[in-house]
Amino acid sequence: MSMDRNLALELARVTEAAALDSGRWVGKGDKISADAAATEAMRRTLGAMEINGLVVIGEGEMDEAPMLYIGEKLGRGKPGECEVDIAVDPLEGTTICSKGTNGAIATIAMAPRGGFLHAPDMYMEKLVTGPAGIGAVDMQKSAGENVLALAKAKNCNPQDLTIVLLDRPRHDKAIAEIRKAGARIHLIPDGDVAAAVAAAVEDNGVDMMIGIGGAPEGVLTAAAIRCLGGFMQGRLVFMSEEERTRASDMGITDFDKVYQSEEMAQGEVFFAATGVTNGDLVRGVRYFSNGAKTHTVVMRSKSRTVRFLETIHYFDHKPGFTAENQ
Ligand code: VTB
C-alpha cells in the first residue's frame, strides 16, 4: 500500500506534544506521571490525525494500559483511508526523565497495516550501525570481531569508533571484548532506541549499538534504521517458558530467528523522535517564559530524507496548552 502523504511531518507534531508534556516532569523523580503525560499527549494528537491507526506496539495489553494499548484504534480517517499500524514509546527512558539525565525521547513509528513485527514485551538482542555496517558486521560474530569489521568497512582504526551499550552486567563480556579490540565505549543507563538511531545517523559520535534491550523498542528502532538505510539485526531473548508461550501466541514460530530491519518494519515506514532530555540524537525541551523549543528527527523510508526540526512553540497560541498545564 502506498501512502501518498508524508506522515513523518505529522508525526513530528505527535512526538513534540509528548516531549512538551513529559518535559515538565524532568527531574521530578516521578516516572509514572512523566510517562502518563507523554502518553496522553500522543493519544490526543494521534486522535486528531486523518488515519485509521491501530496500535501494535504500545503501552501494554488492553487490561494493563488505559491508553495506547495494543489493539487500540486511533485517528479520524474515513473508512478504508490510510490504514496504518502504529508503534509508540511515548517516553523512552522514563527513569532518565525522572532523574533529569541524558537520552530520554518521545518516539513513534508508522507502517502500512501488517508492517510491524508484533514483538512481545520481552528482551531482544540488537546490533545496529549506519549503512557502512551492511555486509560487514553480523550478530553471529563476537562484539570484538564486529568492531574490527566495522573499522575496516569505515576505513578507520578501531580506536576511532565509539560503541554504545546499555550499562548492564549482561553486557560485561561484550564490553571487555570491545575494549580489547581498541574501540571507545559509551555506556548509557537506559534508552537504547535513541542510542541505536544515533549510531546509524552520520556524525553523532557513536558508531554501533550492541546488546540486549526491549523487543518492542527494537521494532521502533528497525523503522528508523529502514529510513536511514542502516544496518540492524535483532533476536528475541527468552527468559522463561511463559515468554515462549506468549511469543508463539503472537505468531512467532522460530525462536532463534535473527530478524533484519526489513522483517521487523516492512513497507513504507515513518519514524519520529523528539528529545525530552539532551542526548546523542536530539536535544531536550528548553522552556522559556511563554513557550518552549523542541528538537526532533523525522524520516521516511521512501525518500530516506532525514530532517532535524528545531521548533518554537508559543503556548498562548496553542489550543490545549494553558499556563496551568505548561
Ligand atoms: C531498558 C531501557 C531500554 O530496554 O533498559 C530496557 O532503558 C530493558 O533493560 O531503553 P533492563 O530490563 O535491564 O532495564 C529498553 O527499554 C529499550 O530497548
Side-chain angles (χ1 to χ4, degrees):
M1 176 191 141
S2 112
M3 284 182 274
D4 46 6
R5 69 187 204 263
N6 186 352
L7 287 169
L9 294 168
E10 295 180 55
L11 292 187
R13 298 179 67 245
V14 175
T15 55
E16 283 173 358
L20 284 167
D21 282 8
S22 56
R24 287 301 191 192
W25 291 93
V26 168
K28 298 222 165 190
D30 182 354
K31 61 182 190 176
I32 308 277
S33 298
D35 193 48
T39 306
E40 275 172 42
M42 268 204 183
R43 193 187 198 222
R44 182 180 74 230
T45 45
L46 278 168
M49 280 179 73
E50 296 205 356
I51 54 168
N52 283 293
L54 176 68
V55 177
V56 297
I57 301 278
E59 288 288 280
E61 300 293 334
M62 199 198 287
D63 54 358
E64 61 192 29
M67 286 187 190
L68 301 184
Y69 55 83
I70 298 164
E72 184 171 7
K73 295 194 172 117
L74 291 161
R76 48 176 199 201
K78 296 188 189 76
E81 177 193 84
C82 203
E83 296 197 338
V84 290
D85 281 0
I86 301 171
V88 287
D89 197 349
L91 181 57
E92 156 70 344
T94 52
T95 304
I96 297 177
C97 178
S98 74
K99 290 185 179 174
T101 50
N102 275 15
I105 56 167
T107 185
I108 189 167
M110 271 186 189
R113 184 63 35 88
F116 288 131
L117 175 72
H118 291 200
D121 188 11
M122 53 180 290
Y123 284 122
M124 179 185 274
E125 187 182 352
K126 308 167 197 179
L127 176 64
V128 180
T129 72
I134 296 171
V137 303
D138 195 295
M139 217 174 229
Q140 314 294 346
K141 296 181 184 171
S142 70
E145 286 169 340
N146 279 327
V147 167
L148 300 178
L150 187 63
K152 196 163 169 237
K154 287 196 161 187
N155 198 19
C156 66
N157 292 314
Q159 56 263 40
D160 301 325
L161 296 177
T162 302
I163 317 304
V164 59
L165 305 99
L166 282 168
D167 190 5
R168 297 290 188 279
R170 61 179 179 262
H171 297 150
D172 285 355
K173 186 164 168 270
I175 291 168
E177 279 180 19
I178 294 164
R179 289 187 174 138
K180 196 157 168 248
R184 311 190 322 158
I185 282 187
H186 180 189
L187 292 176
I188 52 167
D190 280 299
D192 73 357
V193 178
V197 178
V201 176
E202 294 303 334
D203 286 341
N204 263 328
V206 283
D207 302 280
M208 176 158 59
M209 204 281 293
I210 292 183
I212 296 172
E217 293 87 346
V219 174
L220 274 154
T221 304
I225 298 310
R226 287 275 328 284
C227 298
L228 290 162
F231 173 89
M232 177 181 189
Q233 287 174 334
R235 178 166 47 199
L236 294 171
V237 178
F238 296 90
M239 307 291 283
S240 64
E241 249 340 284
E242 195 256 313
E243 286 191 349
R244 283 198 174 78
T245 313
R246 188 146 33 102
S248 63
D249 287 349
M250 290 177 89
I252 291 160
T253 49
D254 180 357
F255 294 156
D256 299 316
K257 184 174 168 61
V258 174
Y259 293 91
Q260 314 294 322
S261 57
E262 297 81 7
E263 295 171 291
M264 293 188 268
Q266 295 173 22
E268 188 186 341
V269 296
F270 303 85
F271 176 90
T274 301
V276 178
T277 63
N278 287 338
D280 289 330
L281 182 65
V282 278
R283 294 193 65 185
V285 183
R286 285 151 284 163
Y287 296 94
F288 46 87
S289 68
N290 61 339
K293 197 178 205 181
T294 55
H295 192 201
T296 301
V297 60
V298 291
M299 39 198 180
R300 68 192 304 203
S301 60
K302 187 179 180 182
S303 60
R304 290 215 183 144
T305 313
V306 181
R307 290 188 170 85
F308 282 89
L309 309 177
E310 287 231 297
T311 311
I312 296 174
H313 309 262
Y314 290 111
F315 298 141
D316 40 4
H317 288 274
K318 277 189 195 243
F321 288 91
T322 62
E324 287 72 46
N325 73 12
Q326 286 298 327

